[in-house]
Amino acid sequence: MLTRGFAGGVLVLLGGLVISTLPESTALMQIQLLRELRGAEAGRMAGLALVVTGLGLYAAAWLSLCRHVARAEGAAREDALALVRHATVVWSAPLVLAPPLFSRDGWSYAAQGVLAHFQVSPYEHGPGVLVGPVVQGVDPRWMETPAPYGPLPLIFGDVAAGFTGNPWLLAVGHRLLALVGLALLAWSLPRLAQWCGANPALSSAIVLCSPFMLANGVGGLHNDLLMVGLMAAALVVTAERGWAWGAALGGLAAAVKLPGGLVCIGVALMVLPAGADLMTRLRRYAAVGGVSVVALVLPGFAAGLGVGWVHALGVPGSVNVPLSLPTVLGGFLDLLARWLGTGLAPATFLELVRAVAQVAAVAFAARVALTWRAGSRAEAVRAVAAVMGALLLLSPVVHLWYFLWVVPFLAALRLPRLAATALLAGSVVAGLVAPLDSSLHGAYLAIVIGSMLVAGAVLLLLVTRAARERLEKIATAEWLPGPRLAGSDEAQASGRSAGRMRPVTSPSVMRPPSTPGAA
């Protein structure tokens, strides 16, 4: 199992060197064989085949791991969480030094960090003002656009650029930053799952080492992974250290990407007294919001970046992507309007539907904040899952890695059988179609067709009786946490004092895995 996943990572790395965008100045580009493979369509298709095969090995190993931890008993159950974390390290290792996979965003991060290092505001200028190797991998569509991210990744990029100007090393540095988010999830998820009465090891396996996470979170090195890691940590820190610390982490999550600040709804709900009235809620939200805003803006002002990201928030929405429901619906209505000869301006319905969807997302978040049950840790996790899910559903732009916003919180819940099965199947499919977001030189149509065929074939395989039974065995596995469920709603009934809660006792499962047949 561990060996199979590691082999999958090696194949993804090797194939990624062929299909991913690389700066021309990269030392690897001097290897004649690699240049020939990248320059020939047959070579690129061979690289894509390696990547898809590697992702398939990831999926097979991951499903085996999920089955193991879901049905584990006795000593194997005690070691299950350690085994999941061990598998995450082993399977991620081949990707750590890889170039940005399935997306060029890592090259943009590197260039934006160099801008900040030269005291050129990334919120006012795009990477196009730079010259040299650092911009050779940046997607042309983002060359002249400002950075839509908070100050934290830019500050990190500024510091990294002080040590090296090598774009590959700068991009790898941002992958290490993403791995910090993964580590925060590894620390937080068992606690969140305990609160909700879910299996901590299975919840961790679903998130930390799924094909979706390995392809999009680790391989793609997106800022979203650090953001969601800080969000999960904010909930745990709120329970263990008090709401002020949780709100500060929520502000830091927003300082990576603004949606991360929505975790503050869960922070406030967790520490509000049960049955809190409207005014009590509003006062608590004002306090939590004040602390989080300070944590959001202070790093930017300290680094001389200010809050220029506010003016760049619309940059991601400048492209239309098919995963966004408002974009698809608005585009369809505009197409219908043209067919009917209405004479309306282009994108009239697109802009209208997107605006309505964003208002609906804000309204839903407000409803959750003001009406959902307070004083429950499990309910706080559900609230964050609901708010982030609604935001994803109603967002004007959605990429595969945006699902990182919601998957960790869903995985921590005790989901119904159908929802849990869908989460498992979706993690497989979302991992296998990760190449859809790559920029395969001169063969984008081939990669789209190939990825869609793979996705279709996997979906057909997943609906077979044998596959359904295997997934349902994972989804329906009972988790009996024993007489003391540390941090559960029952355990915290008398644990609140002056806005603070009793610490959550983490499970004693940090010994090395002892499963002899793990490899």
Side-chain angles (χ1 to χ4, degrees), residues 284-500:
R284 177 61 71 194
Y285 282 115
V288 170
V291 172
S292 64
V293 168
V294 170
L296 165 61
V297 302
L298 190 59
F301 282 112
L305 295 169
V307 292
W309 47 267
V310 173
H311 306 293
L313 290 177
V315 168
S318 61
V319 297
N320 298 334
V321 291
L323 292 178
S324 167
L325 292 182
T327 296
V328 171
L329 177 58
F332 173 76
L333 292 177
D334 280 324
L335 180 61
L336 185 61
R338 286 198 298 274
W339 282 348
L340 296 176
T342 60
L344 292 173
T348 297
F349 284 106
L350 177 65
E351 295 175 1
L352 176 62
V353 173
R354 281 179 164 184
V356 171
Q358 291 179 72
V359 171
V362 172
F364 180 79
R367 183 176 182 275
V368 170
L370 299 178
T371 65
W372 278 38
R373 181 163 63 95
S376 164
R377 296 179 180 182
E379 198 68 12
V381 178
R382 293 189 187 96
V384 175
V387 170
M388 298 308 290
L391 180 62
L392 193 64
L393 186 67
L394 298 170
S395 176
V397 58
V398 177
H399 296 286
L400 280 173
W401 54 88
Y402 283 23
F403 288 91
L404 289 167
W405 301 358
V406 68
V407 167
F409 304 106
L410 287 178
L413 303 176
R414 294 193 67 173
L415 297 173
R417 176 183 59 83
L418 183 60
T421 303
L423 181 59
L424 292 166
S427 296
V428 172
V429 174
L432 291 176
V433 301
L436 277 173
D437 273 298
S438 69
S439 301
L440 185 59
H441 331 285
Y444 190 71
L445 180 60
I447 199 173
V448 169
I449 295 174
S451 296
M452 296 306 294
L453 288 174
V454 169
V458 170
L459 285 173
L460 288 175
L461 290 174
L462 290 175
V463 299
T464 62
R465 181 176 179 178
R468 288 202 315 272
E469 289 177 352
R470 284 194 291 268
L471 290 178
E472 288 177 0
K473 284 181 180 179
I474 301 172
T476 59
E478 288 295 326
W479 171 249
L480 302 176
R484 290 196 318 121
L485 178 60
S488 65
D489 288 342
E490 293 81 2
Q492 63 166 304
S494 60
R496 265 188 217 97
S497 174
R500 295 176 63 88

Side-chain angles (χ1 to χ4, degrees), residues 137 140 176 225 415:
L176 298 180
L225 182 49
L415 297 173

